[in-house]
Amino acid sequence: MRTISHVMAAKPASTSDRTSDVFDPNQGNVQAQVTLGGQAELDAAVDAALAAQPAWAATNPQRRARVMFKFKELVEANMDELAAMLSREHGKVIADAKGDVQRGLEVIEFCCGIPHALKGEYTQGAGPGIDVYSMRQPLGIGAGITPFNFPAMIPMWMFGPAIATGNAFILKPSERDPSCPVRLVELMLEAGLPEGILQCLHGDKEMVDAILDHPAIGGVSFVGSSDIAHYVYQRGVAAGKRVQAMGGAKNHGIVMPDADLDQVVTDLSGAAFGSAGERCMALPVVVPVGDETADRLREKMIPAMEALRVGISTDDEAHYGPVVNAAHKQRVENWIQTGVDEGAELVVDGRGFTLQGHEEGFFIGPSLFDHVKPDMESYKEEIFGPVLQMVRAKTFEEALALPSQHQYGNGVAIFTRNGHAAREFAHRVNVGMVGINVPIPVPVAYHSFGGWKRSAFGDINQHGMEGVRFWTKTKTITQRWPDGTASGDNKDAFVIPTMG
């Protein structure tokens, strides 16, 4: 059986014999095993990073950018291989897998402009003969702990800005689908990155805790569930690290009475069920304003869902494929049952879906609930599967309050033709990322990604200039070049200096 190993600059003092199974979501069988590391592997990786990072930080930004350019070319040249590798372990269809790679690559494209992004500030004549300027310098060693649902995009969101700004970086990807992250690290080394600057270590909680506790790691970026994000944030900050920890989501789509419902149905179909709903920016809650809007939307949504094709990840005609493993399939189906038990109306039931020839695969058909209430646990918590819940609102104000008061605040969307309603909604809603007639409002790479409330812990967002700020620290220099005429008895020297 295939074994997936670490990508390290040096062999660790001792090697772990622990492994974890990597499943084929289409067939339900184990297709590979990944080696799980621990403290010894991390210590060896940190030692290699400490040895390599000073020279990399001293490399001028333009030369670091050239490595990014070359990496971009290699990823594009190997797109089919990366997408197939990703799809085989995650289960998302090939087209969606390519989108996963492409959205990560857009952050790499931003990082190609790192010489401009690292320019500091300068003030000439801030005081008599005094100039003040600032510079951004790397933290030293950073680490990224990434989830299974975007095994290409999110690693590139993290290691791209970290490396471009002069840091060394240790990537700990999900053990559920580790092959694509491994290949990305190999391509970065092929692009000319010095050994020790980017390493990939596999592991479970043991490795995560070792990363959070290691004194040489200055910054940690995490994406995953909110409870674990909170844990990562608290433990990392307690260890003196800079931490950004992105958590779960329960994104709402507000549908105003004037919305184009045909377009809304198309958008909802992709946003709620694409990638089997395994996206933190999925749109699993739709909030039609008024019963008439809700009834019309429901009438159009049911046949659209019936037309969705669930297939294996290599099926070019499939809209989405299986979920990642059997445990996650069971979790999603348990949430569907919880919704039924709580009294929501299960309009379309996706449980029990099977695909001929792939009966053991981890497939779930699309599900639709109506008359979901805000006090239901199935509404409060993230299901992370192909389940759409309809929560009816009587007024705009009631619809606005639902995402604003929810524990998660990652993304939200409003569908309307009314510019005033859209502007009012965007201004007032208590959520970090807002879409106006855009169902999945993931910002472009030169802006930044980050939610509010229990969707994000930490003060600085992912990628864009926020990413540059996270992976660097600012140094400010105040300088004066005396002309040699100062007297030796200057009482002003004992007074705190001002620039007046």
Side-chain angles (χ1 to χ4, degrees):
M1 182 175 292
R2 184 168 59 97
T3 300
I4 303 163
S5 300
H6 314 292
V7 182
M8 301 176 62
K11 187 176 180 180
S14 64
T15 57
S16 170
D17 58 0
R18 297 187 305 126
T19 61
S20 180
D21 292 335
V22 179
F23 288 90
D24 176 351
N26 298 295
Q27 299 288 356
N29 61 296
V30 176
Q31 61 172 308
Q33 289 189 320
V34 58
T35 300
L36 301 180
Q39 191 68 54
E41 287 76 14
L42 180 63
D43 287 343
V46 168
D47 287 345
L50 287 170
Q53 190 271 333
W56 178 245
T59 302
N60 71 58
Q62 189 169 349
R63 291 186 181 276
R64 296 202 297 262
R66 288 173 187 166
V67 174
M68 293 290 164
F69 273 112
K70 182 61 178 175
F71 175 67
K72 173 183 180 298
E73 292 175 354
L74 289 171
V75 170
E76 289 172 338
N78 291 273
M79 176 66 81
D80 290 343
E81 175 201 2
L82 289 166
M85 186 180 289
L86 190 162
S87 178
R88 185 168 60 245
E89 293 180 353
H90 177 278
K92 64 177 68 177
V93 296
I94 294 292
D96 197 27
K98 288 184 176 180
D100 187 335
V101 178
Q102 181 59 40
R103 286 309 295 258
L105 199 58
E106 289 168 7
V107 172
I108 300 300
E109 291 172 341
F110 170 81
C111 293
C112 291
I114 202 66
H116 178 75
L118 282 177
K119 289 193 301 184
E121 299 173 322
Y122 187 93
T123 299
Q124 182 179 12
I130 294 176
D131 303 326
V132 180
Y133 65 96
S134 65
M135 61 179 70
R136 290 199 167 274
Q137 295 187 323
L139 297 181
I141 301 176
I145 303 165
T146 60
F148 76 87
N149 60 323
F150 284 99
M153 180 182 79
I154 294 177
M156 285 190 274
W157 278 12
M158 294 181 186
F159 72 62
I163 290 170
T165 52
N167 296 281
F169 192 85
I170 295 169
L171 173 64
K172 205 299 287 183
S174 171
E175 61 273 26
R176 297 182 188 181
D177 46 9
S179 292
C180 187
V182 165
R183 186 68 180 125
L184 290 172
V185 173
E186 292 172 347
L187 291 175
M188 186 63 88
L189 294 171
E190 188 179 334
L193 190 71
E195 282 200 357
I197 298 302
L198 178 59
Q199 301 171 84
C200 182
L201 301 183
H202 306 294
D204 49 15
K205 186 178 184 297
E206 180 181 334
M207 178 64 78
V208 170
D209 287 346
I211 288 170
L212 295 174
D213 295 342
H214 203 293
I217 295 175
V220 174
S221 184
F222 171 87
V223 175
S225 68
S226 288
D227 287 345
I228 299 177
H230 191 211
Y231 169 83
V232 166
Y233 180 76
Q234 288 186 312
R235 186 159 179 160
V237 169
K241 301 185 192 323
R242 182 177 292 184
V243 182
Q244 55 179 194
M246 306 299 169
K250 192 78 173 192
N251 306 320
H252 294 58
I254 313 304
V255 182
M256 297 298 290
D258 66 338
D260 180 345
L261 289 189
D262 290 331
Q263 184 62 53
V264 170
V265 167
T266 297
D267 289 343
L268 280 176
S269 296
F273 305 118
S275 196
E278 295 172 317
R279 294 171 177 160
C280 66
M281 288 298 285
L283 206 61
V285 178
V286 59
V287 183
V289 177
D291 281 334
E292 182 183 352
T293 306
D295 290 342
R296 289 192 296 127
L297 179 62
R298 170 172 165 162
E299 183 181 353
K300 289 176 177 289
M301 198 73 222
I302 294 171
M305 292 174 60
E306 291 172 345
L308 292 177
R309 181 183 174 106
V310 182
I312 60 173
S313 56
T314 53
D315 180 357
D316 290 338
E317 302 299 319
H319 292 97
Y320 72 86
V323 297
V324 69
N325 61 21
H328 191 65
K329 177 183 177 180
Q330 187 61 56
R331 178 183 182 276
V332 173
E333 292 184 342
N334 288 346
W335 274 119
I336 295 172
Q337 185 59 48
T338 298
V340 173
D341 295 342
E342 291 178 317
E345 180 189 359
L346 183 56
V347 181
V348 179
D349 188 352
R351 294 172 296 179
F353 179 91
T354 58
L355 200 63
Q356 186 175 1
H358 300 270
E359 287 80 6
E360 300 303 315
F362 309 133
F363 296 95
I364 307 175
S367 294
L368 173 65
F369 278 102
D370 194 1
H371 302 290
V372 175
K373 303 300 181 184
D375 61 349
M376 294 179 177
E377 289 302 312
S378 59
Y379 166 76
K380 294 176 184 178
E381 298 297 335
E382 184 177 35
I383 295 176
F384 220 60
V387 181
L388 178 62
Q389 296 174 293
M390 185 181 294
V391 182
R392 297 178 178 227
K394 293 185 173 113
T395 65
F396 171 81
E397 291 296 330
E398 185 181 331
L400 173 67
L402 285 166
S404 295
Q405 295 172 2
H406 201 279
Q407 65 169 327
Y408 297 118
N410 208 42
V412 69
I414 185 170
F415 300 93
T416 183
R417 292 185 174 97
N418 186 316
H420 173 73
R423 184 178 185 274
E424 187 79 358
F425 182 83
H427 177 71
R428 293 173 56 194
V429 71
N430 186 25
V431 173
M433 292 174 283
V434 181
I436 298 174
N437 298 313
V438 175
I440 304 179
V442 179
V444 292
Y446 42 90
H447 285 263
S448 66
F449 179 99
W452 291 0
K453 296 178 283 186
R454 276 179 54 79
S455 289
F457 300 90
D459 298 324
I460 306 180
N461 289 342
Q462 299 262 359
H463 66 71
M465 283 305 299
E466 286 279 272
V468 173
R469 282 187 277 272
F470 182 81
W471 294 111
T472 58
K473 49 194 175 184
T474 302
K475 181 181 288 184
T476 305
I477 298 92
T478 303
Q479 68 176 9
R480 179 178 66 186
W481 298 101
D483 59 8
T485 60
S487 69
D489 184 22
N490 188 354
K491 292 185 178 180
D492 289 342
F494 293 86
V495 179
I496 189 168
T498 66
M499 298 302 169

